[in-house]
Amino acid sequence: EYNVLLVVSAGNHDLGWTNNPQEAEEILASYPDFLFDPQCGLCEPATAAIPITVGAIAEHDIPAISAGPRSEDIMRTIAVAQEPTPTTRIGPGLNGAVKPEFVAPGGNLAFRGFSNIRQVRDEQGLAVMSFSNEPTRSLFAFDIGTSLAAPFVSRSAAMMLASLRQYFGEEPDANLLRAILASAAEVPVPSDDRIQVHRG
């Protein structure tokens, strides 16, 4: 009715991080299997048919260098670049619909092991950087999640909307934007390879 293109995030789960040493080892060893756990399915409103749903993939797989690392310290990223972010939710949607339709950078997690400590946590070098909502404390903020991936797709849609509006001289249909976005997208090769191994 209003010719609006809605973009929503797929949501996040908390199975991908922990401060428990045994769970941390299991997460490192079982990624991405735990993403197929029913607890990691889409949450509302990500299952809605009309909006575009956006999941998250890791943009980086090289953590920042922490101060004072020791030779026995272990630091490994959970996902390789272009693989699913370890906290992203996955589809399918209702009646087996393809959801999320798109993915965009949403950060990564790191396994850290030192002394008797084993944990999986977020890490600035693997996170998405944005402007802070508390600029008097810090100009930039770092975080992970699908809420940081969705604006990437929204911006792409907005840029396309402006181009099509200028080209046609009128407001383009929201479904045309969806179709062009879909035709220009491709599955990241590392994600496809990882999922094929899981299915095999």
Side-chain angles (χ1 to χ4, degrees):
E1 182 180 352
Y2 297 103
N3 195 34
V4 174
L5 181 64
L6 301 173
V7 179
V8 299
S9 64
N12 307 301
H13 64 83
D14 59 4
L15 296 185
W17 39 15
T18 184
N19 287 322
N20 179 290
Q22 182 177 350
E23 290 177 356
E25 297 277 1
E26 289 173 358
I27 288 171
L28 183 63
S30 66
Y31 172 86
D33 292 352
F34 61 83
L35 291 179
F36 294 87
D37 187 291
Q39 296 181 63
C40 298
L42 298 172
C43 58
E44 300 300 340
T47 60
I50 294 175
I52 286 175
T53 302
V54 182
I57 56 171
E59 185 175 17
H60 306 291
D61 54 15
I62 301 175
I65 298 174
S66 58
R70 296 170 295 184
S71 59
E72 66 270 22
D73 290 355
I74 301 169
M75 173 78 86
R76 285 193 52 194
T77 58
I78 301 301
V80 172
Q82 303 298 303
E83 289 183 347
T85 295
T87 58
T88 190
R89 289 184 176 272
I90 67 169
L94 296 175
N95 297 321
V98 174
K99 288 280 181 177
E101 294 95 335
F102 299 100
V103 293
N108 198 355
L109 293 175
F111 172 90
R112 296 189 65 193
F114 53 96
S115 185
N116 293 323
I117 298 174
R118 298 286 189 272
Q119 57 187 207
V120 177
R121 51 176 259 184
D122 55 340
E123 201 265 349
Q124 282 193 1
L126 303 172
V128 176
M129 184 180 74
S130 183
F131 287 111
S132 171
N133 64 346
E134 299 179 292
T136 56
R137 296 182 61 191
S138 175
L139 183 58
F140 298 104
F142 301 85
D143 206 349
I144 70 167
T146 57
S147 293
L148 300 165
F152 186 96
V153 175
S154 296
R155 181 176 185 271
S156 298
M159 292 171 62
M160 189 180 308
L161 172 64
S163 296
L164 292 174
R165 186 185 287 146
Q166 182 177 11
Y167 181 79
F168 291 121
E170 61 183 20
E171 198 71 11
D173 191 277
N175 284 329
L176 177 60
L177 292 178
R178 293 169 62 102
I180 295 176
L181 283 172
S183 67
E186 58 185 24
V187 177
V189 172
S191 288
D192 191 44
D193 290 345
R194 177 71 82 160
I195 291 169
Q196 293 304 327
V197 168
H198 172 81
R199 287 178 178 163

